[in-house]
Amino acid sequence: MTGTVTESVTRIREVYDAFGRGDMPAVLAVLDEGIEWYEAENGPWYPGRAFVGPQEVVDGVFQRIGAEYEEFEIRPTRFLGDGDTVVMEGRYRAKSHRATGQPLDAEVVHVWDLRNDKIVRFHQYVDTRQLAAVCGVTG
């Protein structure tokens, strides 16, 4: 363990605050070079494996958020900590998906694992049915 539960939760809160401000350098600074980033299975962006490393996260997730959604935000409602693991419950909200015009309001859970004050693993759990509908993906 590298920090207290309070330190871990504070660190992850800072990541959401930076993301909300659009401060991507601050977000990327916290990602470990070998981060494993798991999008929710069956979600429209799930590649069948983890995105590995900050550049894959930028290309496969962050750039897509900016390109596909208008006024996207994450609204955390609860944080739970267990050592170097932090769970965030919240909602994804966006005015609209640029291709479909559909708004987004989906519940989400993120699980973050830290080591030496860096994020080494992220796992998303989200309403994939809603994401697919908003993105215009039919299955």
Side-chain angles (χ1 to χ4, degrees):
M1 190 161 92
T2 59
T4 68
V5 171
T6 302
E7 290 168 348
S8 296
V9 169
T10 298
R11 185 70 160 160
I12 296 303
R13 283 181 184 270
E14 290 169 351
V15 171
Y16 286 103
D17 290 344
F19 188 85
R21 291 189 311 271
D23 186 353
M24 295 315 294
V27 173
L28 294 174
V30 182
L31 302 184
D32 185 82
E33 286 301 313
I35 187 172
E36 294 179 4
W37 186 286
Y38 293 89
E39 288 291 293
E41 290 181 8
N42 300 311
W45 298 351
Y46 178 65
R49 62 171 181 79
F51 293 103
V52 178
Q55 192 60 54
E56 283 196 9
V57 174
V58 167
D59 295 344
V61 182
F62 296 161
Q63 286 184 350
R64 292 186 76 174
I65 289 170
E68 294 186 25
Y69 288 98
E70 184 178 346
E71 297 179 25
F72 179 88
E73 65 179 335
I74 303 168
R75 292 188 180 176
T77 56
R78 184 175 181 203
F79 290 89
L80 305 167
D82 183 16
D84 288 334
T85 299
V86 177
V87 176
M88 184 283 301
E89 295 177 346
R91 300 199 75 80
Y92 287 152
R93 296 222 169 117
K95 181 177 177 182
S96 66
H97 186 272
R98 294 183 198 282
T100 66
Q102 296 293 316
L104 176 66
D105 183 7
E107 73 177 346
V108 63
V109 172
H110 293 162
V111 180
W112 303 87
D113 291 310
L114 296 119
R115 186 178 318 120
N116 299 322
D117 213 29
K118 293 280 192 173
I119 299 166
V120 296
R121 187 173 185 279
F122 166 89
H123 200 127
Q124 171 199 57
Y125 299 90
V126 66
D127 182 349
T128 55
R129 183 175 180 183
Q130 182 182 160
L131 284 183
V134 167
C135 292
V137 177
T138 59

